[in-house]
Amino acid sequence: MSTPNLPAAPKPLPAEVFDSHCHLDIMVGNRQASSGDPVAQAAQAARTSVEGILDEARAVGVTRLVTIGYDLPSSRWNAETAALHGDVYAGVAIHPNEAHASTPETLAEIERLARLPHVRAVGETGLDYYRDWASKDDQHASFRAHIEIAKRTGKALVIHDREAHDDVLRVLAEEGAPEVVVFHSFSGDAGMAKQCLDAGYFMSFSGPVTYKNAAYLREAARVAPQELILVETDAPYLPPTPHRGKPNAPYLIPLTLRCLAEVKGTDITELATAISANGETVFGSW
Ligand SMILES: [Zn+2]
């Protein structure tokens, strides 16, 4: 890690693990980052190839990743990239912030992509009450449509839930949840974690679990059983402590995983092994 503005590589993990949620297309600059997105700009300035990102990750024990779509072009790119790289899998969806774009035609294309062998998730979909880029009506309709696609294709449903916990849980219950549900970048407290545990939903923890002001996330991680935990970066966003403000990447997973192991009082090798097994339960065999 010789580039000065990038976080140094952490100590390698004693056992392999994977990144359940990142955005390779944003990291490599397939989509030009806007000036309002300095973190994505910095990531794009530093990294230009998927292979480079994979090599950095492998060097610390992060051997696979799932790259997640947020609109139709992004979903197409991620599906194609997964087909080209052995250790890369994809999710496809229209993000809740783009829910106005969930027309019958785009949803049909998302469903077609979701059936591809390297596409292992329908996501990220869900509800975002923090941003009002799309109306609540559009978000709900799009979320429900994605739940149906996940059920028809048998792929995991990857949920973006921002300040919408109750409605996300309610819509899942109303529609009937798909067999595998993942709350990406889990943002609930211990009570929400208990509800997910009861429903058998997976909780994917990201950089914020390491943040000083996020004790509620560590409480949630204590409640979440090892069989329902995943770890992710959401790269290039949400870097773990002490790298806030810098671009995130899959090679920083060890920092978040070590925090999780410490919080849960679990041996890091045991936790990494459990998460790797969960990965195949969620995303299918690698
Ligand atoms: Zn994401």
Side-chain angles (χ1 to χ4, degrees):
M1 230 41 46
S2 52
T3 316
N5 290 324
L6 294 179
K11 200 171 111 200
L13 291 168
E16 286 182 7
V17 78
F18 75 104
D19 184 349
S20 84
H21 188 120
C22 67
H23 298 281
L24 282 182
D25 59 332
I26 302 178
M27 295 177 70
V28 304
N30 176 61
R31 183 75 54 91
Q32 188 81 38
S34 74
S35 55
D37 194 348
V39 165
Q41 283 187 321
Q44 292 181 2
R47 285 189 186 77
T48 49
S49 81
V50 172
E51 273 308 324
I53 291 166
L54 287 168
D55 285 346
E56 286 172 341
R58 284 185 194 114
V60 296
V62 180
T63 54
R64 292 186 179 84
L65 52 84
V66 186
T67 180
I68 299 284
Y70 49 87
D71 62 11
L72 196 50
S74 158
S75 295
R76 281 193 182 119
W77 187 93
N78 283 306
E80 283 165 18
T81 300
L84 291 173
H85 298 271
D87 298 320
V88 177
Y89 299 87
V92 295
I94 309 297
H95 193 285
N97 292 336
E98 310 289 330
H100 42 269
S102 279
T103 62
E105 293 74 27
T106 46
L107 289 167
E109 180 63 2
I110 290 294
E111 179 158 353
R112 189 190 69 79
L113 293 168
R115 293 184 190 281
L116 294 171
H118 298 283
V119 175
R120 300 295 178 86
V122 174
E124 54 187 295
T125 178
L127 299 173
D128 187 329
Y129 292 172
Y130 175 77
R131 291 205 165 100
D132 58 1
W133 300 356
S135 72
K136 281 192 181 179
D137 282 352
D138 283 349
Q139 290 192 43
H140 278 249
S142 179
F143 183 30
R144 288 178 192 270
H146 283 87
I147 292 172
E148 295 311 317
I149 292 172
K151 287 201 274 193
R152 284 197 295 269
T153 59
K155 304 288 166 98
L157 184 74
V158 170
I159 292 182
H160 170 104
D161 159 26
R162 195 153 182 200
E163 298 183 8
H165 307 320
D166 291 348
D167 277 7
V168 167
L169 291 170
R170 180 175 58 78
V171 170
L172 281 171
E174 284 174 9
E175 289 289 323
E179 201 171 321
V180 178
V181 172
V182 178
F183 278 77
H184 126 71
S185 194
F186 186 82
S187 59
D189 60 9
M192 169 79 177
K194 176 72 170 60
Q195 291 188 72
C196 288
L197 182 170
D198 289 342
Y201 300 154
F202 286 82
M203 292 162 259
S204 185
F205 289 90
S206 57
V209 77
T210 68
Y211 297 173
K212 203 171 174 205
N213 64 356
Y216 70 101
L217 289 177
R218 291 183 285 278
E219 291 299 326
R222 279 186 200 102
V223 170
Q226 206 163 275
E227 319 79 75
L228 291 177
I229 285 186
L230 297 175
V231 66
E232 66 168 75
T233 56
D234 203 17
Y237 306 108
L238 305 180
T241 300
H243 301 303
R244 288 184 81 170
K246 291 186 178 171
N248 199 2
Y251 75 91
L252 294 177
I253 280 278
L255 297 171
T256 303
L257 190 67
R258 285 207 166 84
C259 170
L260 278 173
E262 199 173 302
V263 160
K264 295 185 70 60
T266 311
D267 171 68
I268 182 106
T269 302
E270 185 191 322
L271 186 60
T273 306
I275 288 175
S276 293
N278 294 344
E280 293 201 83
T281 304
V282 170
F283 298 110
S285 56
W286 304 125

